[in-house]
Amino acid sequence: MSDIPAGVCFDMDGVLVQSEDHWVSAQREEILPTAAPNDDIPVAAITGRDYTEVYPDLAAEYDMAVDREEFEALFEKHGERIYGEHATLLEGAHDLLADLRAAGVALALTTSAPWAWIDVVDERFDLLSQFDAAVSAEDVDGPGKPEPDIYERGAVELGLAPEACWAVEDSTMGARAAVAAGMTTIGFRGDGDETDLSMVDHVASGSADLRALLLGDE
């Protein structure tokens, strides 16, 4: 077995919780056309970011038909539906987390999602019991991903230096945040998409690859 990390910070959406396809559909079909019916805002402008931070950037570039409060309300409505009804847990997620804990690895959930969504996920999948710490963008005074603040806070919560931690991310913004924090970063392509993950140290194409990278399992 190869050396395993002292700590691992996991993103939630698109890694442990498979919700991205539902989010892409909601953004492409309702949220973005409602927010800017005269413009074609790419989903990539939002993916991996805290939805409460993106409105000023969008308003500076596009013709927004809703104000910030209405924009965020669109996300909140769809979030309740997606996490409460449609999202699924990554195959083997509980076993992976339990085996990492058994190997002495400290675990943090580091996500742009608000606590309201994290709590729905936890109620459905009993996820938080596997973690030593959980950090939402709501817990961080500084900016969200792609800035490193969330990952730096995750390392602090684990009592580790960021350089001692690995991170698992599926989005470009999230991967940039983890790399900027100084963490060894795994880019996760669970859905096989073509997201730019050129900045990461390793790439995992599914749960078996992820397990092999983190635990050295063949």
Side-chain angles (χ1 to χ4, degrees), residues 147-170:
E147 299 304 317
D149 299 56
I150 289 177
Y151 279 103
E152 291 171 346
R153 173 69 176 272
V156 168
E157 293 291 329
L158 295 180
L160 296 168
E163 294 79 11
C165 299
W166 286 38
V168 187
E169 267 286 356
D170 71 305

Side-chain angles (χ1 to χ4, degrees), residues 80-202:
E80 292 177 8
R81 174 182 60 83
I82 289 170
Y83 295 109
E85 301 174 16
H86 300 294
T88 58
L89 196 65
L90 174 69
E91 181 182 0
H94 276 298
D95 288 341
L96 172 62
L97 296 172
D99 289 346
L100 285 166
R101 288 176 63 85
V105 180
L107 301 178
L109 187 69
T110 40
T111 174
S112 295
W115 274 104
W117 298 350
I118 298 171
D119 288 340
V120 171
V121 167
D122 187 46
E123 184 175 342
R124 289 186 64 198
F125 302 122
D126 187 28
L127 196 60
L128 293 181
S129 64
Q130 302 284 342
F131 286 91
D132 300 290
V135 180
S136 161
E138 292 180 332
D139 302 321
V140 178
D141 291 334
K145 302 172 185 179
E147 299 304 317
D149 299 56
I150 289 177
Y151 279 103
E152 291 171 346
R153 173 69 176 272
V156 168
E157 293 291 329
L158 295 180
L160 296 168
E163 294 79 11
C165 299
W166 286 38
V168 187
E169 267 286 356
D170 71 305
S171 72
T172 300
M173 296 296 183
R176 287 177 180 167
V179 170
M183 295 186 179
T184 298
T185 305
I186 298 174
F188 187 68
R189 294 193 185 279
D191 56 4
D193 69 13
E194 297 302 317
T195 299
D196 178 16
L197 296 173
S198 59
M199 70 295 294
V200 305
D201 301 283
H202 309 280

Side-chain angles (χ1 to χ4, degrees), residues 6-130:
V8 179
C9 293
F10 283 91
D11 179 41
M12 186 174 80
D13 289 292
V15 178
L16 295 174
V17 176
Q18 304 302 291
S19 58
E20 289 298 300
D21 286 348
H22 301 291
W23 271 118
V24 168
S25 295
Q27 291 172 54
R28 185 175 289 149
E29 296 170 12
E30 182 170 345
I31 295 175
L32 295 177
T34 300
N38 297 322
D39 284 314
D40 185 16
I41 301 176
V43 172
I46 298 172
T47 302
R49 298 184 63 187
D50 177 359
Y51 73 95
T52 67
E53 292 185 351
V54 300
Y55 186 88
D57 292 341
L58 297 179
E61 187 171 352
Y62 300 101
D63 180 20
M64 303 296 283
V66 298
D67 63 21
R68 185 169 186 164
E69 183 177 356
E70 293 170 313
F71 179 77
E72 293 176 7
L74 289 169
F75 277 87
E76 289 155 8
K77 180 185 76 171
H78 284 283
E80 292 177 8
R81 174 182 60 83
I82 289 170
Y83 295 109
E85 301 174 16
H86 300 294
T88 58
L89 196 65
L90 174 69
E91 181 182 0
H94 276 298
D95 288 341
L96 172 62
L97 296 172
D99 289 346
L100 285 166
R101 288 176 63 85
V105 180
L107 301 178
L109 187 69
T110 40
T111 174
S112 295
W115 274 104
W117 298 350
I118 298 171
D119 288 340
V120 171
V121 167
D122 187 46
E123 184 175 342
R124 289 186 64 198
F125 302 122
D126 187 28
L127 196 60
L128 293 181
S129 64
Q130 302 284 342

